[in-house]
Amino acid sequence: MKRPTSSMAIEEPGDQGRRIGAYRGTEPGPLVICIASLHGNEPAGIEALERVMGVLSESRLRMCGDLVGLRGNLQAHTAGTRFIDEDLNRVWQHDRVDAVLESLRGGGSAPDGDGAPMVGSAELAEQRDLLAAFQSEHRRARGPIHVLDLHTTSSESAPFTTLGDTLRNRALALRLPVPVVLGLEEQIDGAMLHYFDRLGWANIGIEAGQHRAASSIDVHEEAVWILLEALGLIEEASAPRGENRRARLARRAEGLPRVLDVRYRHVVSEEDGFRMHPGFTNFDLVEAGQELAVDRRGPVQTAFAGRVFLPLYQRQGDDGFFIVRQRARVWLTVSRVLRTAGADRMAAWIPGVSPHPERSDAVILARWARNRYVIGYLHLLGFIARSESGGRVMVRRQEGPGPRPEPPPRAS
Ligand SMILES: [Zn+2]
């Protein structure tokens, strides 16, 4: 192990509020912002970051760059619930964020209209405060910014990452030896990570396991250390217990595909009386026609074979379950080559796909072209369905104004 260099870094205490802690390296480098408990009933990320900050301040580890830990939904965390008035991971639509930013700039209360936030919502206050925190961290950044959003699931699960499928986010996710799940963000409107794509900050969500499992804290801690090493903030194996960290994390997802994507989402509402059958673990294999749950209308079966994903075992939430399937690694390579070569700009040449009359980054699908071949090809090029228009319009993901994506990581 490398000898820790004394008084080389500045430890910044948490303020018992938004900030869990911060550690500023003596040399400039990337800024890693970790957000924990964006869902208030997911405290594992907070405990993991407290551990990492504790180790850093005790060992005075040499760091090139900065690490910051932020609490997500403070009020819901205190109450021990996923959210108070609205899900804080569903409120980051462009219009709403713009309205909240405007109110932060002193533009008075947020304006009315489509993007108008829910008046008096607890989460509106959280969002304002988080946006202000992101702005102040941005001002202090001394290098490229990377965001890790730390979550846990209601069912038991192997760890995995989720991301908006830009090349930059992919490169970050593939640095962790756990499955990458693509396409979840297309199903979910207003996830926080979308906002960082706008800013050009690399970002991924890390799902560590069940909400209350002690192993979820370990997974988050391991993931943070691995990324600090991979991004060059600390030297490999310089942190305590750093040996074999990658292998330890990889073992927790043993036997699972490296890349999967979402093929089906079962949406539920409160009136449905949806109840998942007990015993499903994330990524369990299921067959087409298998009964997974019951609701008011009777048995709920999956139309697709694959792996059951995020089965709902908590009261709040509008996703009953998803079905995911393995995606071949070659798909990642082909899509990277096409996007890097600018082939994404030729999407409107595909039969049944025409340019959007107002947006240069969007295309419109003819009704007959709304099949999995055309949509799959558009996914390859980096387009996603825009949920509000039911998938008829597909928009190219922004790579954002930041630096070009990093080269792909070494195989793992
Ligand atoms: Zn969550």
Side-chain angles (χ1 to χ4, degrees), residues 222-262:
E222 279 162 2
V224 171
W225 285 121
I226 289 170
L227 289 172
L228 289 179
E229 289 175 358
L231 296 169
L233 281 86
I234 62 171
E235 252 177 74
E236 209 141 314
S238 64
R241 300 191 309 281
E243 301 81 16
N244 306 319
R245 208 187 283 283
R246 289 185 63 83
R248 278 204 304 274
L249 186 55
R251 265 201 301 277
R252 296 177 188 271
E254 210 155 33
L256 289 176
R258 189 74 176 91
V259 185
L260 303 103
D261 68 355
V262 171

mmCIF file of all heavy atoms in Angstrom, residues 222-262:
data_model
loop_
_atom_site.group_PDB
_atom_site.id
_atom_site.type_symbol
_atom_site.label_atom_id
_atom_site.label_comp_id
_atom_site.label_asym_id
_atom_site.label_seq_id
_atom_site.Cartn_x
_atom_site.Cartn_y
_atom_site.Cartn_z
ATOM 1 N N GLU A 222 -17.886 0.247 -2.265
ATOM 2 C CA GLU A 222 -16.936 -0.314 -3.234
ATOM 3 C C GLU A 222 -17.013 0.432 -4.566
ATOM 4 O O GLU A 222 -15.987 0.741 -5.170
ATOM 5 C CB GLU A 222 -17.227 -1.811 -3.458
ATOM 6 C CG GLU A 222 -16.628 -2.684 -2.368
ATOM 7 C CD GLU A 222 -17.248 -4.085 -2.300
ATOM 8 O OE1 GLU A 222 -18.129 -4.396 -3.125
ATOM 9 O OE2 GLU A 222 -16.845 -4.852 -1.406
ATOM 10 N N ALA A 223 -18.242 0.707 -5.014
ATOM 11 C CA ALA A 223 -18.410 1.382 -6.310
ATOM 12 C C ALA A 223 -17.746 2.764 -6.286
ATOM 13 O O ALA A 223 -17.074 3.157 -7.243
ATOM 14 C CB ALA A 223 -19.891 1.507 -6.653
ATOM 15 N N VAL A 224 -17.913 3.499 -5.190
ATOM 16 C CA VAL A 224 -17.320 4.845 -5.110
ATOM 17 C C VAL A 224 -15.801 4.757 -5.156
ATOM 18 O O VAL A 224 -15.138 5.469 -5.930
ATOM 19 C CB VAL A 224 -17.803 5.587 -3.841
ATOM 20 C CG1 VAL A 224 -17.022 6.887 -3.641
ATOM 21 C CG2 VAL A 224 -19.300 5.888 -3.941
ATOM 22 N N TRP A 225 -15.209 3.841 -4.379
ATOM 23 C CA TRP A 225 -13.744 3.700 -4.385
ATOM 24 C C TRP A 225 -13.234 3.307 -5.770
ATOM 25 O O TRP A 225 -12.255 3.855 -6.266
ATOM 26 C CB TRP A 225 -13.293 2.641 -3.374
ATOM 27 C CG TRP A 225 -13.353 3.052 -1.930
ATOM 28 C CD1 TRP A 225 -14.071 2.441 -0.944
ATOM 29 C CD2 TRP A 225 -12.648 4.131 -1.293
ATOM 30 N NE1 TRP A 225 -13.875 3.073 0.263
ATOM 31 C CE2 TRP A 225 -13.003 4.119 0.080
ATOM 32 C CE3 TRP A 225 -11.766 5.116 -1.750
ATOM 33 C CZ2 TRP A 225 -12.504 5.034 0.997
ATOM 34 C CZ3 TRP A 225 -11.263 6.039 -0.831
ATOM 35 C CH2 TRP A 225 -11.637 5.988 0.518
ATOM 36 N N ILE A 226 -13.928 2.347 -6.418
ATOM 37 C CA ILE A 226 -13.484 1.880 -7.746
ATOM 38 C C ILE A 226 -13.505 3.043 -8.736
ATOM 39 O O ILE A 226 -12.580 3.222 -9.535
ATOM 40 C CB ILE A 226 -14.374 0.716 -8.243
ATOM 41 C CG1 ILE A 226 -14.076 -0.538 -7.422
ATOM 42 C CG2 ILE A 226 -14.153 0.454 -9.734
ATOM 43 C CD1 ILE A 226 -15.051 -1.682 -7.657
ATOM 44 N N LEU A 227 -14.552 3.869 -8.674
ATOM 45 C CA LEU A 227 -14.631 4.973 -9.633
ATOM 46 C C LEU A 227 -13.614 6.072 -9.299
ATOM 47 O O LEU A 227 -13.074 6.700 -10.207
ATOM 48 C CB LEU A 227 -16.059 5.518 -9.693
ATOM 49 C CG LEU A 227 -17.015 4.532 -10.391
ATOM 50 C CD1 LEU A 227 -18.462 4.983 -10.273
ATOM 51 C CD2 LEU A 227 -16.647 4.354 -11.865
ATOM 52 N N LEU A 228 -13.331 6.282 -8.021
ATOM 53 C CA LEU A 228 -12.279 7.261 -7.669
ATOM 54 C C LEU A 228 -10.944 6.813 -8.260
ATOM 55 O O LEU A 228 -10.164 7.627 -8.769
ATOM 56 C CB LEU A 228 -12.162 7.414 -6.149
ATOM 57 C CG LEU A 228 -13.316 8.128 -5.428
ATOM 58 C CD1 LEU A 228 -13.058 8.185 -3.921
ATOM 59 C CD2 LEU A 228 -13.541 9.540 -5.974
ATOM 60 N N GLU A 229 -10.700 5.496 -8.225
ATOM 61 C CA GLU A 229 -9.464 4.965 -8.825
ATOM 62 C C GLU A 229 -9.507 5.075 -10.344
ATOM 63 O O GLU A 229 -8.579 5.574 -10.971
ATOM 64 C CB GLU A 229 -9.287 3.481 -8.443
ATOM 65 C CG GLU A 229 -8.923 3.255 -6.989
ATOM 66 C CD GLU A 229 -8.888 1.765 -6.630
ATOM 67 O OE1 GLU A 229 -9.177 0.912 -7.500
ATOM 68 O OE2 GLU A 229 -8.581 1.464 -5.471
ATOM 69 N N ALA A 230 -10.629 4.609 -10.922
ATOM 70 C CA ALA A 230 -10.727 4.537 -12.387
ATOM 71 C C ALA A 230 -10.655 5.926 -13.019
ATOM 72 O O ALA A 230 -10.143 6.084 -14.127
ATOM 73 C CB ALA A 230 -12.026 3.852 -12.796
ATOM 74 N N LEU A 231 -11.152 6.930 -12.324
ATOM 75 C CA LEU A 231 -11.141 8.287 -12.868
ATOM 76 C C LEU A 231 -9.856 9.037 -12.516
ATOM 77 O O LEU A 231 -9.704 10.211 -12.832
ATOM 78 C CB LEU A 231 -12.364 9.069 -12.356
ATOM 79 C CG LEU A 231 -13.718 8.512 -12.810
ATOM 80 C CD1 LEU A 231 -14.871 9.173 -12.056
ATOM 81 C CD2 LEU A 231 -13.898 8.693 -14.313
ATOM 82 N N GLY A 232 -8.957 8.352 -11.804
ATOM 83 C CA GLY A 232 -7.643 8.925 -11.554
ATOM 84 C C GLY A 232 -7.577 9.878 -10.373
ATOM 85 O O GLY A 232 -6.608 10.611 -10.221
ATOM 86 N N LEU A 233 -8.594 9.877 -9.498
ATOM 87 C CA LEU A 233 -8.522 10.757 -8.321
ATOM 88 C C LEU A 233 -7.568 10.192 -7.276
ATOM 89 O O LEU A 233 -6.850 10.941 -6.623
ATOM 90 C CB LEU A 233 -9.913 10.961 -7.706
ATOM 91 C CG LEU A 233 -10.805 11.984 -8.420
ATOM 92 C CD1 LEU A 233 -11.545 11.324 -9.563
ATOM 93 C CD2 LEU A 233 -11.773 12.656 -7.465
ATOM 94 N N ILE A 234 -7.611 8.873 -7.095
ATOM 95 C CA ILE A 234 -6.680 8.245 -6.155
ATOM 96 C C ILE A 234 -5.940 7.128 -6.869
ATOM 97 O O ILE A 234 -6.405 6.616 -7.888
ATOM 98 C CB ILE A 234 -7.402 7.680 -4.903
ATOM 99 C CG1 ILE A 234 -8.404 6.590 -5.297
ATOM 100 C CG2 ILE A 234 -8.062 8.784 -4.111
ATOM 101 C CD1 ILE A 234 -8.985 5.856 -4.103
ATOM 102 N N GLU A 235 -4.786 6.758 -6.326
ATOM 103 C CA GLU A 235 -4.020 5.682 -6.936
ATOM 104 C C GLU A 235 -4.655 4.348 -6.623
ATOM 105 O O GLU A 235 -5.206 4.156 -5.528
ATOM 106 C CB GLU A 235 -2.593 5.717 -6.390
ATOM 107 C CG GLU A 235 -1.604 6.195 -7.421
ATOM 108 C CD GLU A 235 -0.221 6.280 -6.839
ATOM 109 O OE1 GLU A 235 0.396 5.216 -6.637
ATOM 110 O OE2 GLU A 235 0.211 7.412 -6.560
ATOM 111 N N GLU A 236 -4.553 3.434 -7.578
ATOM 112 C CA GLU A 236 -5.158 2.120 -7.401
ATOM 113 C C GLU A 236 -4.651 1.457 -6.123
ATOM 114 O O GLU A 236 -3.457 1.511 -5.824
ATOM 115 C CB GLU A 236 -4.842 1.235 -8.613
ATOM 116 C CG GLU A 236 -5.916 0.220 -8.864
ATOM 117 C CD GLU A 236 -6.199 0.024 -10.349
ATOM 118 O OE1 GLU A 236 -6.321 1.014 -11.097
ATOM 119 O OE2 GLU A 236 -6.300 -1.133 -10.731
ATOM 120 N N ALA A 237 -5.560 0.876 -5.378
ATOM 121 C CA ALA A 237 -5.251 0.145 -4.144
ATOM 122 C C ALA A 237 -4.595 1.028 -3.086
ATOM 123 O O ALA A 237 -3.938 0.537 -2.171
ATOM 124 C CB ALA A 237 -4.392 -1.081 -4.429
ATOM 125 N N SER A 238 -4.742 2.349 -3.193
ATOM 126 C CA SER A 238 -4.141 3.217 -2.173
ATOM 127 C C SER A 238 -5.065 3.342 -0.962
ATOM 128 O O SER A 238 -4.619 3.590 0.146
ATOM 129 C CB SER A 238 -3.832 4.599 -2.752
ATOM 130 O OG SER A 238 -5.019 5.265 -3.141
ATOM 131 N N ALA A 239 -6.371 3.128 -1.162
ATOM 132 C CA ALA A 239 -7.303 3.202 -0.034
ATOM 133 C C ALA A 239 -7.255 1.890 0.748
ATOM 134 O O ALA A 239 -6.931 0.852 0.191
ATOM 135 C CB ALA A 239 -8.712 3.450 -0.549
ATOM 136 N N PRO A 240 -7.576 1.949 2.033
ATOM 137 C CA PRO A 240 -7.570 0.729 2.840
ATOM 138 C C PRO A 240 -8.475 -0.347 2.238
ATOM 139 O O PRO A 240 -9.515 -0.021 1.678
ATOM 140 C CB PRO A 240 -8.120 1.199 4.191
ATOM 141 C CG PRO A 240 -7.937 2.667 4.211
ATOM 142 C CD PRO A 240 -7.943 3.133 2.796
ATOM 143 N N ARG A 241 -8.092 -1.582 2.363
ATOM 144 C CA ARG A 241 -8.838 -2.748 1.855
ATOM 145 C C ARG A 241 -9.085 -2.644 0.345
ATOM 146 O O ARG A 241 -10.091 -3.109 -0.170
ATOM 147 C CB ARG A 241 -10.186 -2.914 2.585
ATOM 148 C CG ARG A 241 -10.050 -3.128 4.088
ATOM 149 C CD ARG A 241 -11.375 -3.550 4.697
ATOM 150 N NE ARG A 241 -12.470 -2.672 4.339
ATOM 151 C CZ ARG A 241 -12.695 -1.486 4.906
ATOM 152 N NH1 ARG A 241 -11.904 -1.054 5.880
ATOM 153 N NH2 ARG A 241 -13.714 -0.751 4.525
ATOM 154 N N GLY A 242 -8.149 -1.975 -0.353
ATOM 155 C CA GLY A 242 -8.340 -1.735 -1.783
ATOM 156 C C GLY A 242 -8.039 -2.944 -2.648
ATOM 157 O O GLY A 242 -8.448 -2.992 -3.803
ATOM 158 N N GLU A 243 -7.294 -3.925 -2.110
ATOM 159 C CA GLU A 243 -6.926 -5.080 -2.920
ATOM 160 C C GLU A 243 -8.184 -5.861 -3.327
ATOM 161 O O GLU A 243 -9.075 -6.067 -2.511
ATOM 162 C CB GLU A 243 -5.963 -6.008 -2.149
ATOM 163 C CG GLU A 243 -4.663 -5.349 -1.697
ATOM 164 C CD GLU A 243 -4.828 -4.545 -0.410
ATOM 165 O OE1 GLU A 243 -5.851 -4.750 0.280
ATOM 166 O OE2 GLU A 243 -3.955 -3.708 -0.117
ATOM 167 N N ASN A 244 -8.214 -6.298 -4.558
ATOM 168 C CA ASN A 244 -9.295 -7.157 -5.087
ATOM 169 C C ASN A 244 -10.676 -6.520 -5.001
ATOM 170 O O ASN A 244 -11.676 -7.221 -4.975
ATOM 171 C CB ASN A 244 -9.338 -8.510 -4.359
ATOM 172 C CG ASN A 244 -7.994 -9.193 -4.396
ATOM 173 O OD1 ASN A 244 -7.323 -9.162 -5.423
ATOM 174 N ND2 ASN A 244 -7.594 -9.776 -3.278
ATOM 175 N N ARG A 245 -10.727 -5.222 -4.921
ATOM 176 C CA ARG A 245 -12.030 -4.580 -4.794
ATOM 177 C C ARG A 245 -12.922 -4.866 -6.007
ATOM 178 O O ARG A 245 -14.093 -5.189 -5.862
ATOM 179 C CB ARG A 245 -11.839 -3.067 -4.649
ATOM 180 C CG ARG A 245 -12.931 -2.395 -3.872
ATOM 181 C CD ARG A 245 -12.784 -0.901 -3.905
ATOM 182 N NE ARG A 245 -11.760 -0.372 -3.030
ATOM 183 C CZ ARG A 245 -11.893 -0.230 -1.713
ATOM 184 N NH1 ARG A 245 -12.991 -0.617 -1.105
ATOM 185 N NH2 ARG A 245 -10.933 0.290 -0.996
ATOM 186 N N ARG A 246 -12.322 -4.766 -7.196
ATOM 187 C CA ARG A 246 -13.103 -5.024 -8.417
ATOM 188 C C ARG A 246 -13.632 -6.455 -8.429
ATOM 189 O O ARG A 246 -14.790 -6.697 -8.769
ATOM 190 C CB ARG A 246 -12.240 -4.795 -9.664
ATOM 191 C CG ARG A 246 -11.919 -3.344 -9.945
ATOM 192 C CD ARG A 246 -11.159 -3.219 -11.259
ATOM 193 N NE ARG A 246 -11.969 -3.671 -12.382
ATOM 194 C CZ ARG A 246 -12.867 -2.914 -12.998
ATOM 195 N NH1 ARG A 246 -13.044 -1.661 -12.625
ATOM 196 N NH2 ARG A 246 -13.573 -3.384 -13.988
ATOM 197 N N ALA A 247 -12.772 -7.392 -8.055
ATOM 198 C CA ALA A 247 -13.187 -8.806 -8.064
ATOM 199 C C ALA A 247 -14.310 -9.028 -7.054
ATOM 200 O O ALA A 247 -15.272 -9.762 -7.320
ATOM 201 C CB ALA A 247 -11.994 -9.695 -7.750
ATOM 202 N N ARG A 248 -14.203 -8.368 -5.907
ATOM 203 C CA ARG A 248 -15.250 -8.529 -4.880
ATOM 204 C C ARG A 248 -16.598 -8.027 -5.400
ATOM 205 O O ARG A 248 -17.628 -8.665 -5.215
ATOM 206 C CB ARG A 248 -14.880 -7.754 -3.609
ATOM 207 C CG ARG A 248 -13.930 -8.458 -2.680
ATOM 208 C CD ARG A 248 -14.068 -7.925 -1.239
ATOM 209 N NE ARG A 248 -13.868 -6.486 -1.135
ATOM 210 C CZ ARG A 248 -12.680 -5.899 -1.001
ATOM 211 N NH1 ARG A 248 -11.586 -6.632 -0.978
ATOM 212 N NH2 ARG A 248 -12.586 -4.593 -0.888
ATOM 213 N N LEU A 249 -16.571 -6.869 -6.069
ATOM 214 C CA LEU A 249 -17.830 -6.320 -6.582
ATOM 215 C C LEU A 249 -18.360 -7.194 -7.726
ATOM 216 O O LEU A 249 -19.561 -7.467 -7.805
ATOM 217 C CB LEU A 249 -17.621 -4.873 -7.048
ATOM 218 C CG LEU A 249 -18.881 -4.116 -7.486
ATOM 219 C CD1 LEU A 249 -19.955 -4.128 -6.405
ATOM 220 C CD2 LEU A 249 -18.543 -2.668 -7.865
ATOM 221 N N ALA A 250 -17.460 -7.649 -8.585
ATOM 222 C CA ALA A 250 -17.875 -8.472 -9.740
ATOM 223 C C ALA A 250 -18.562 -9.751 -9.268
ATOM 224 O O ALA A 250 -19.528 -10.206 -9.883
ATOM 225 C CB ALA A 250 -16.664 -8.803 -10.609
ATOM 226 N N ARG A 251 -18.068 -10.318 -8.170
ATOM 227 C CA ARG A 251 -18.654 -11.575 -7.665
ATOM 228 C C ARG A 251 -20.119 -11.407 -7.278
ATOM 229 O O ARG A 251 -20.892 -12.349 -7.333
ATOM 230 C CB ARG A 251 -17.854 -12.087 -6.457
ATOM 231 C CG ARG A 251 -16.789 -13.107 -6.834
ATOM 232 C CD ARG A 251 -16.387 -13.944 -5.633
ATOM 233 N NE ARG A 251 -15.865 -13.140 -4.536
ATOM 234 C CZ ARG A 251 -14.598 -12.712 -4.466
ATOM 235 N NH1 ARG A 251 -13.736 -12.995 -5.423
ATOM 236 N NH2 ARG A 251 -14.192 -11.987 -3.435
ATOM 237 N N ARG A 252 -20.501 -10.201 -6.900
ATOM 238 C CA ARG A 252 -21.902 -9.972 -6.481
ATOM 239 C C ARG A 252 -22.865 -10.010 -7.654
ATOM 240 O O ARG A 252 -24.081 -10.034 -7.458
ATOM 241 C CB ARG A 252 -22.014 -8.611 -5.778
ATOM 242 C CG ARG A 252 -21.214 -8.535 -4.487
ATOM 243 C CD ARG A 252 -21.323 -7.136 -3.901
ATOM 244 N NE ARG A 252 -20.438 -6.933 -2.761
ATOM 245 C CZ ARG A 252 -20.764 -7.186 -1.508
ATOM 246 N NH1 ARG A 252 -21.938 -7.689 -1.220
ATOM 247 N NH2 ARG A 252 -19.911 -6.958 -0.535
ATOM 248 N N ALA A 253 -22.329 -9.928 -8.873
ATOM 249 C CA ALA A 253 -23.205 -9.974 -10.061
ATOM 250 C C ALA A 253 -22.806 -11.143 -10.953
ATOM 251 O O ALA A 253 -23.058 -11.133 -12.156
ATOM 252 C CB ALA A 253 -23.115 -8.665 -10.822
ATOM 253 N N GLU A 254 -22.190 -12.146 -10.353
ATOM 254 C CA GLU A 254 -21.678 -13.292 -11.113
ATOM 255 C C GLU A 254 -22.808 -13.959 -11.900
ATOM 256 O O GLU A 254 -23.915 -14.128 -11.383
ATOM 257 C CB GLU A 254 -21.070 -14.300 -10.135
ATOM 258 C CG GLU A 254 -19.953 -15.106 -10.724
ATOM 259 C CD GLU A 254 -19.009 -15.604 -9.623
ATOM 260 O OE1 GLU A 254 -19.494 -15.875 -8.497
ATOM 261 O OE2 GLU A 254 -17.806 -15.730 -9.912
ATOM 262 N N GLY A 255 -22.527 -14.325 -13.141
ATOM 263 C CA GLY A 255 -23.488 -15.073 -13.942
ATOM 264 C C GLY A 255 -24.487 -14.204 -14.679
ATOM 265 O O GLY A 255 -25.285 -14.700 -15.468
ATOM 266 N N LEU A 256 -24.476 -12.895 -14.432
ATOM 267 C CA LEU A 256 -25.429 -12.015 -15.120
ATOM 268 C C LEU A 256 -24.780 -11.411 -16.365
ATOM 269 O O LEU A 256 -23.575 -11.203 -16.397
ATOM 270 C CB LEU A 256 -25.886 -10.891 -14.185
ATOM 271 C CG LEU A 256 -26.801 -11.323 -13.048
ATOM 272 C CD1 LEU A 256 -27.095 -10.142 -12.131
ATOM 273 C CD2 LEU A 256 -28.102 -11.907 -13.592
ATOM 274 N N PRO A 257 -25.609 -11.111 -17.395
ATOM 275 C CA PRO A 257 -25.050 -10.481 -18.595
ATOM 276 C C PRO A 257 -24.427 -9.128 -18.260
ATOM 277 O O PRO A 257 -24.814 -8.479 -17.295
ATOM 278 C CB PRO A 257 -26.270 -10.289 -19.498
ATOM 279 C CG PRO A 257 -27.327 -11.176 -18.956
ATOM 280 C CD PRO A 257 -27.057 -11.328 -17.491
ATOM 281 N N ARG A 258 -23.459 -8.711 -19.083
ATOM 282 C CA ARG A 258 -22.782 -7.428 -18.858
ATOM 283 C C ARG A 258 -23.698 -6.260 -19.224
ATOM 284 O O ARG A 258 -23.680 -5.226 -18.573
ATOM 285 C CB ARG A 258 -21.511 -7.397 -19.723
ATOM 286 C CG ARG A 258 -20.584 -6.241 -19.451
ATOM 287 C CD ARG A 258 -19.852 -6.458 -18.153
ATOM 288 N NE ARG A 258 -18.879 -5.392 -17.912
ATOM 289 C CZ ARG A 258 -19.170 -4.279 -17.242
ATOM 290 N NH1 ARG A 258 -20.382 -4.093 -16.778
ATOM 291 N NH2 ARG A 258 -18.244 -3.368 -17.039
ATOM 292 N N VAL A 259 -24.472 -6.406 -20.302
ATOM 293 C CA VAL A 259 -25.357 -5.331 -20.757
ATOM 294 C C VAL A 259 -26.748 -5.901 -21.022
ATOM 295 O O VAL A 259 -26.882 -6.937 -21.663
ATOM 296 C CB VAL A 259 -24.828 -4.664 -22.050
ATOM 297 C CG1 VAL A 259 -25.700 -3.478 -22.442
ATOM 298 C CG2 VAL A 259 -23.376 -4.237 -21.886
ATOM 299 N N LEU A 260 -27.774 -5.226 -20.482
ATOM 300 C CA LEU A 260 -29.157 -5.643 -20.729
ATOM 301 C C LEU A 260 -29.952 -4.424 -21.145
ATOM 302 O O LEU A 260 -29.546 -3.293 -20.902
ATOM 303 C CB LEU A 260 -29.782 -6.223 -19.451
ATOM 304 C CG LEU A 260 -29.070 -7.395 -18.792
ATOM 305 C CD1 LEU A 260 -28.298 -6.932 -17.573
ATOM 306 C CD2 LEU A 260 -30.077 -8.460 -18.365
ATOM 307 N N ASP A 261 -31.089 -4.666 -21.784
ATOM 308 C CA ASP A 261 -31.962 -3.520 -21.980
ATOM 309 C C ASP A 261 -33.420 -3.858 -21.714
ATOM 310 O O ASP A 261 -33.826 -5.013 -21.712
ATOM 311 C CB ASP A 261 -31.740 -2.799 -23.303
ATOM 312 C CG ASP A 261 -32.155 -3.616 -24.488
ATOM 313 O OD1 ASP A 261 -32.526 -4.779 -24.305
ATOM 314 O OD2 ASP A 261 -32.112 -3.073 -25.608
ATOM 315 N N VAL A 262 -34.171 -2.794 -21.414
ATOM 316 C CA VAL A 262 -35.562 -2.951 -21.002
ATOM 317 C C VAL A 262 -36.417 -3.234 -22.231
ATOM 318 O O VAL A 262 -36.371 -2.497 -23.208
ATOM 319 C CB VAL A 262 -36.049 -1.656 -20.310
ATOM 320 C CG1 VAL A 262 -37.550 -1.715 -20.062
ATOM 321 C CG2 VAL A 262 -35.299 -1.427 -19.008
#
